[in-house]
Amino acid sequence: MQRIAVAGASGLIGSSLVRSLTADGHEVRRLVRRAARGDDEVSWDPGRGEADAAGLAGCDAVVNLAGAGVGDHRWTDEYKRRIRDSRVNGTTALATAIASLDEKDRPRVFVNGSAIGYYGETGDRAVDESAPAGEGFLPELCVEWEAAAAPAQEAGVRTVFPRTGLVVSREGGAWGRLFPLFRAGVGGRIGDGRQYWSFIALHDEVAAIRHLLDTDGLSGPFNLTAPHPVTNREITAAMGRVLRRPTLFPVPAPVLRSVLGEMAGDVLGSARILPARLLESGFRFAFPEIEGAIRAAL
């Protein structure tokens, strides 16, 4: 049995991770934005960059999956600041709290969420963890987000950055919005459909995080994406086959830009990302292909 603190425990990935951990008998402490009401809660304020270090003492691991939804709102300057602060300030709070603990009380591992937005636009070029950061809001955010974990790293805590792709789930995220459209028969490709979408089944996402938690010696960035990224056209076709619905309603790029503004550039952009380090570490995907991932979500 391990004691694991989880920030973002109510989110899509966090709630699934908590269910998986507790089902296997592990003790989970959820980070909450109010006073803790029991031993299974830890108080923190990510906006202020504050976390209760005493609540983390004795934990075997800390997992940080918290952050404002990137696709929840149009990217105004104010909302981009909220996206940034929720991730960078929250990571700083946890890393600083971890570093402040006596060595005997520190967690052995800090898993701090990141995203494949780190790489920016890659076009048809497949990249792995050795690739440099791209340019733009999301790459700059991811660089700053990961750098905020420095206090924990400098304190000698094994620190891991799971750079997550598009999670295939009907419960939330990008796919949570796609499923109702395709079920209704009004789904279709986005833009010209040639852009690569690097996906991962929710089952594999949780399994990969647990693999990173449990495997000593793993640190630094790991791409959490299936080994076979596909284009938006291929995803559209797979959704149509699995759901047995027509896919005749494409979303033209100009329409998407008028609705989403700056964020449309990332939806229309191509990110062909490979999980090289994850595979090298011995992890095996249950759903490496897009059709299997879609069926698993259903």
Side-chain angles (χ1 to χ4, degrees):
M1 190 275 289
Q2 298 184 68
R3 181 179 296 127
I4 302 171
V6 180
S10 62
L12 171 64
I13 300 170
S15 59
S16 295
L17 176 64
V18 168
R19 285 195 298 270
S20 175
L21 291 170
T22 54
D24 285 343
H26 299 296
E27 177 186 334
V28 174
R29 290 185 177 177
R30 296 168 173 82
L31 275 83
V32 295
R33 293 174 174 84
R34 52 172 170 74
R37 294 173 182 166
D39 292 339
D40 62 343
E41 293 184 345
V42 180
S43 180
W44 80 321
D45 188 336
R48 292 175 176 268
E50 299 172 352
D52 178 16
L56 303 178
C59 288
D60 297 286
V62 175
V63 180
N64 179 23
L65 302 172
V70 171
D72 288 356
H73 298 278
R74 191 182 180 94
W75 285 1
T76 62
D77 289 343
E78 180 181 353
Y79 194 68
K80 285 199 294 184
R81 186 161 47 249
R82 180 180 170 190
I83 292 171
R84 182 262 177 204
D85 289 350
S86 67
R87 286 164 172 76
V88 177
N89 294 355
T91 299
T92 299
L94 292 175
T96 302
I98 289 169
S100 72
L101 294 170
D102 290 338
E103 186 174 355
K104 63 180 176 60
D105 292 326
R106 287 180 197 144
R108 58 180 176 79
V109 57
F110 179 33
V111 175
N112 191 70
S114 186
I116 60 169
Y118 177 94
Y119 305 102
E121 168 72 46
T122 75
D124 292 339
R125 179 172 54 93
V127 303
D128 60 20
E129 293 88 350
S130 64
E135 298 179 352
F137 171 64
L138 288 182
E140 292 169 5
L141 168 66
C142 290
V143 169
E144 195 174 1
W145 187 5
E146 293 180 11
Q153 292 176 296
E154 293 166 0
V157 175
R158 180 168 69 89
T159 303
V160 190
F161 303 106
R163 293 174 179 167
T164 296
L166 294 169
V167 178
V168 185
S169 171
R170 62 180 179 180
E171 298 173 16
W175 247 276
R177 298 181 181 185
L178 288 179
F179 273 119
L181 295 176
F182 279 87
R183 280 185 181 278
V186 294
R189 61 175 170 77
I190 296 176
D192 62 16
R194 296 174 184 172
Q195 68 273 29
Y196 276 87
W197 281 17
S198 295
F199 68 93
I200 184 169
L202 180 59
H203 171 95
D204 285 332
E205 172 77 11
V206 171
I209 292 174
R210 294 196 57 176
H211 174 75
L212 297 175
L213 280 170
D214 295 339
T215 309
D216 291 337
L218 299 184
S219 62
F222 285 81
N223 294 333
L224 268 57
T225 58
H228 305 296
V230 290
T231 65
N232 177 258
R233 281 180 182 269
E234 292 171 300
I235 287 171
T236 299
M239 291 284 282
R241 287 194 302 272
V242 173
L243 296 173
R244 298 181 180 180
R245 294 290 189 275
T247 56
L248 305 176
F249 296 90
V251 181
V255 172
L256 198 68
R257 291 191 180 96
S258 69
V259 173
L260 299 182
E262 182 182 350
M263 186 172 62
D266 289 277
V267 176
L268 295 166
S270 182
R272 191 178 183 182
I273 314 300
L274 302 179
R277 296 194 68 209
L278 193 60
L279 292 173
E280 289 168 2
S281 72
F283 182 79
R284 293 295 175 263
F285 286 83
F287 304 101
E289 307 285 349
I290 184 59
E291 192 160 319
I294 294 171
R295 292 188 186 280
L298 296 172

